[in-house]
Amino acid sequence: MVRHSQKEHGNQWRALADELGKHSWHVKDTWRRIKLPNIKKGHWSQEEYQGLFDLVNSDLQEKVFEEKRSKHGMLRDNICWTAISDKLSTRNQANCCLKCYGQLTSPMVAEGTWADVDDYRLLSVLFNLDSRCIEDVDWDNLLDDRSGDVCRKRWNQMVLHIGKHGNKSFAEQVEVLAQRYCPHLLEAREAWDSKPRVQ
């Protein structure tokens, strides 16, 4: 019945809920379980991390030329988490949003000591340096407007979320993360971040 109702009426659940004697939330939750049969709970795999990151970046690239409509000036206000959840197929939209902003994005962004675009700038510079070990990096002169301590702190946060790759050498870690934060995404991120917000 839920499948048929969704096909006929989309996500309008009130009529079906009334017919079943249920609250519309229950019917909506049932539809979420049906449409994502492979839903997982608990620990995220590295493949899921990468999949989520790629989907968010693809969404960003599509929106670069659109108006930046946002309540709070945060990218999450412009992302369709339902579409991302559907494509990822293993996590619901709330989990995707929370994971993105809880782990893939630095808490330093909310503090104002870091910007989303800085992730891309940091990885781009580290990749081009081609350093063999972390001690070879001059962290104080890495990014023009960020201190060495802040750059190093963000690097340590990034390494926490690369799974088994965290045990690899510094050069290999840079390569893994540079692939995640593809250099060509830097331009898209900068273009998005520089847009004025439309209320």
Side-chain angles (χ1 to χ4, degrees), residues 84-99:
I84 285 181
S85 170
D86 289 349
K87 289 174 186 172
L88 189 63
S89 80
T90 57
R91 305 286 173 164
N92 66 33
Q93 63 231 38
N95 284 339
C96 289
C97 182
L98 289 171
K99 184 60 67 173

Side-chain angles (χ1 to χ4, degrees), residues 54 56-65 184-185 188:
D54 290 344
V56 170
N57 274 315
S58 295
D59 193 78
L60 168 72
Q61 285 180 288
E62 290 173 15
K63 289 180 165 59
V64 165
F65 302 106
H184 72 277
L185 294 173

